[in-house]
Amino acid sequence: MKRKIKIGIAAAVAAAALAAFGGGTVRAANDLTPAQQKRQMFRRGAELWPIYCNTCHNARPGGEFSPTEWNMILMHMRTQANLPPQDANAILEYLKASR
Amino acid sequence: MRGLARCAVLVAAVIAFAAVAAMADDMSVASGASDPGGTQEQQIREIRQELEFLERRVDQLENENGRLKKANAELQKNTQNLQKSTTQQISALQSQASESSSPQNFFDAMNRFLGRYRFTLVGGAAGSYIYDRNSNTNTFALDMEPIILWQLSDNLLFEGTVEANLPAGGSADFQLPVADFQYFLNDYAELVMGIFDQPFGDWYEDQSPFWVNRFVTAPLPFNVNPLIPPTEIGVQLRGGFQWGEMGQVADYTVWSGNGPGYSNSTCGANTPPSPLPTCPSTAFVGDTLVGVNNIKLNTHTPSFGGRFRIYPLPADSDWGRLELGVSTYDGKWENGLWLTSWGVDFNYFRDNLQMRGEWIESYRQMPAGLGSDNRQGWYVQAGYFLTGLKAPLIPSAANQYIDRLEPLIRYSGINQRAAVLGNIITTPEIGFTGSPALYAPHAREVALGLDYWFAPSVVWQNELDLELPRAGGFYSDTGAPVGAYPNDRAFVSQFAVGF
């Protein structure tokens, strides 16, 4: 049993390390203006929204909730589905802007 | 311009002078030239005076023209300035008008008024009709599961879920499956503290809500006698990250909690199946895993769990979405006695097709003198939206209804040798707590479903449960095989909404 716990801890550490380095694969487009970055996030969110949401349930359109409610729901969904932050932010941007 | 005018005046003067000279010659001839020299000089002087007068007049006119030009230029300049300032004012007013009426500005204004951090209510509710042939059940049931989300800061969220149901044949029942704080440490790590859905596999966390589950009932491993506790009280560390192309992500969850709890055998406190078994002289210790609310003081060592999930396919590929996961959960259910479990799961969807499945294996150390408790559970299901399917020979008006249909099939099974009579629910119920298959310790069930989707989170679900003739094993109360209801049939219909 101790061995299993050790394996579990090692897996967690490996996952955390992978997260730290893996996160670097997505680079912020610093050379874009804020408006351009927002548009880019919107497009990315529009692409990811049906994919991430439909993984578990039917994707719900942005008009179903207010922007503040989407803030909370996306925080909740980040926990439920362990969404990566860039993708969660892009989906949030899309849902809030597509109302 | 001025030179031309002057030149014209001079030419006119010369012509006038010539004309006058000619006239003077004529006059002098006519007058007999009494004093011709004096008269001519007089005339010349007059002409010169005339010329000087004309020159002065031209100068006056030129000066006046210059003043007028200057005044005109000033007027033009003033007009341009006025136009410029007017344009700026109009632009400012237009900008102000559009800003004040934009949704973002309205949203900001509302936020300032209501406060930035607030709570919202989501969740689901379901009303169902249940028919079971063997138990002659013919009844309605109601279930509601509101989820309160309260954002306390940019990084902190509280989630509370209350489950209230009116089960068939019972009084109102309330449970608290989730009440926890979720704190985002950074982009890739989050801390969850409190009571939470067991992160083992996909079912408890992601598939259990009424409108999310494509079927009315849960698959057998997560049903009446689950192999893994549905909830846990403790702490989690979790997060997700992108490792490849867009959509190629992975996530992890590690947690520790109070551990599993088992209820004791209570032979006799139930409606026994037929044939009536004989209660053993000494009841087994902890035969059946405690259900949804696994909240009790646990003096054993805490439990440990881990889950890792990966999505190998890029989001923009045409290969669909594939999820692969592994989980483990281990904890002492009694002093020195461990429950060890592991599981694998998958989920795949592409266009109208969705498939998912899980396998769970658990091993429980038992007190001396009792046999080991080794259980397995699994399910695999598939569904297909008929959206876009233009069925031939069917009127086009009917296709709008066919588009909303989703036929489903699920096969699930458990090998659960330690099922006890006291924990077997003989009435099928929705959600976590029911399936007629649990009459049989070695159950195999085929569920056929047909969902009609009114909206993405509003569905009318119909399910037919077929218990396969594979009953067997034994109830641990008796230690002897008991014939269950291998060929039972149940029909469940449910209207579920997610709000």
Side-chain angles (χ1 to χ4, degrees), chain B residues 224-230 260-263 287-291 339 375 423:
Chain B
V224 178
N225 289 331
L227 271 66
I228 307 295
Y262 284 80
S263 62
D287 290 283
T288 302
L289 199 60
V290 174
L339 167 75
R375 308 181 184 188
N423 290 286

Side-chain angles (χ1 to χ4, degrees), chain B residues 112-228:
Chain B
R112 279 193 297 274
F113 180 72
L114 295 172
R116 188 171 177 193
Y117 301 117
R118 298 193 297 276
F119 77 90
T120 189
L121 196 66
V122 292
S128 57
Y129 165 76
I130 300 162
Y131 166 77
D132 180 59
R133 187 173 68 178
N134 262 338
S135 61
N136 200 24
T137 302
N138 188 353
T139 187
F140 291 93
L142 190 65
D143 214 324
M144 183 177 171
E145 200 173 280
I147 301 172
I148 298 166
L149 300 176
W150 198 309
Q151 188 181 1
L152 300 162
S153 78
D154 286 346
N155 299 326
L156 184 62
L157 184 78
F158 171 79
E159 178 191 352
T161 303
V162 178
E163 186 178 357
N165 59 355
L166 285 169
S171 55
D173 183 28
F174 298 92
Q175 289 171 329
L176 184 69
V178 176
D180 59 43
F181 288 95
Q182 300 159 9
Y183 184 72
F184 292 87
L185 298 169
N186 56 47
D187 281 351
Y188 306 104
E190 178 196 355
L191 206 58
V192 179
M193 298 159 287
I195 309 165
F196 45 79
D197 287 330
Q198 193 78 261
F200 188 102
D202 248 359
W203 178 261
Y204 292 131
E205 275 198 337
D206 299 330
Q207 290 299 305
S208 57
F210 311 117
W211 67 278
V212 175
N213 180 15
R214 295 292 207 262
F215 288 88
V216 182
T217 62
L220 293 181
F222 302 97
N223 215 296
V224 178
N225 289 331
L227 271 66
I228 307 295

Side-chain angles (χ1 to χ4, degrees), chain A residues 1 4 12 22-23 25-26 44 47 51-52 55-56 58 60 68-69 72 76 78-80 82 84-86, chain B residues 107 111 118 120 159 182 187-188 190 205 207 238 242 249 251-253 315 340 347 354 356 453 456 498:
Chain A
M1 185 49 59
K4 204 160 190 176
T25 56
V26 178
R44 185 183 174 90
E47 198 167 358
I51 293 167
Y52 274 101
T55 301
C56 296
N58 293 332
R60 298 174 73 169
T68 302
E69 287 172 325
M72 286 180 265
H76 173 57
R78 266 191 73 182
T79 305
Q80 290 292 109
N82 284 346
Q86 299 90 348
Chain B
F107 169 59
N111 266 351
R118 298 193 297 276
T120 189
E159 178 191 352
Q182 300 159 9
D187 281 351
Y188 306 104
E190 178 196 355
E205 275 198 337
Q207 290 299 305
R238 60 192 303 162
Q242 182 177 339
V249 296
D251 64 67
Y252 68 93
T253 307
T340 307
N347 173 23
Q354 175 143 19
R356 61 173 61 248
W453 291 92

